[in-house]
Amino acid sequence: MDKMTGKVWVLGDDIDTDIIIPTEYLALKTIDDMKQYGFSPLRPELADQIKPGDIIVAGKNFGCGSSREQAPEIIKALGIQCVIAKSFARIFYRNAINIGLPVIVCKELPDEVKTGDTMELSMSDGTAQANGKTYSCTKLPEYMQNILNQGGLIASLNREEE
């Protein structure tokens, strides 16, 4: 899971958990039932357009709002392989790592890519490449990369107990 390449979907600042999955859809039984409504207040068609392996690039404060765990789960269920943003709400960041969704801070990249671009992320190098330019990103500590590589915190803890 070190290197990822994917199509970019650019979102703005302050994408809160109500945008990621509106409250009225939380009553649905499964994440699979909910995922079709992902990002519907922002772009109703987005969930249908996202393809497995795509990457979300956003501005500051991604995942702000309530602490609902379903928000990163919806993003992962849509097939997004990672979210890159200028900054993340702390609880969203932690929930994402816990379920195995890579979340990477990269300050310059969001202002310089557009939806449809292709980018490559190297988690071990802490770099992203897009449009012929290399950007510095936060390099996750090895233990966090291991949690992500094992599919999240619970999966990682279960492997430690074996």
Side-chain angles (χ1 to χ4, degrees):
M1 184 190 247
D2 175 46
K3 291 205 186 286
M4 301 176 205
T5 301
K7 176 184 171 184
V8 170
W9 291 95
V10 177
L11 306 178
D13 293 334
D14 303 311
I15 301 298
D16 66 28
T17 54
D18 287 326
I19 289 173
I20 297 169
I21 184 63
T23 306
E24 61 264 28
Y25 302 114
L26 294 175
L28 297 173
K29 291 185 188 230
T30 67
I31 293 296
D32 239 22
D33 294 335
M34 291 178 215
K35 73 180 182 183
Q36 65 185 316
Y37 302 105
F39 301 101
S40 58
L42 184 66
R43 297 185 200 162
E45 73 288 350
L46 186 57
D48 287 336
Q49 294 174 340
I50 289 173
K51 302 290 181 238
D54 287 351
I55 297 170
I56 288 177
V57 175
K60 61 181 173 45
N61 206 23
F62 189 89
C64 57
S66 70
S67 62
R68 67 182 62 141
E69 295 172 5
Q70 296 92 335
E73 291 177 320
I74 295 292
I75 293 170
K76 190 173 181 181
L78 286 170
I80 294 292
Q81 60 179 330
C82 70
V83 179
I84 298 174
K86 289 182 180 183
S87 65
F88 292 90
R90 286 185 306 215
I91 192 75
F92 177 89
Y93 186 89
R94 191 61 182 173
N95 285 340
I97 296 294
N98 285 348
I99 64 150
L101 174 67
V103 282
I104 306 295
V105 174
C106 196
K107 302 280 187 192
E108 296 174 7
L109 177 75
D111 292 329
E112 299 192 23
V113 295
K114 61 186 182 315
T115 294
D117 287 349
T118 299
M119 63 159 294
E120 180 181 296
L121 173 69
S122 173
M123 289 189 21
S124 62
D125 293 339
T127 60
Q129 293 184 337
N131 302 321
K133 188 172 176 185
T134 301
Y135 301 88
S136 268
C137 302
T138 299
K139 184 176 171 183
L140 295 178
E142 187 176 339
Y143 76 92
M144 286 179 88
Q145 287 189 36
N146 288 339
I147 288 171
L148 291 170
N149 290 339
Q150 293 175 35
L153 185 60
I154 300 301
S156 176
L157 293 173
N158 286 342
R159 286 201 175 104
E160 285 179 14
E161 291 177 3
E162 291 176 354

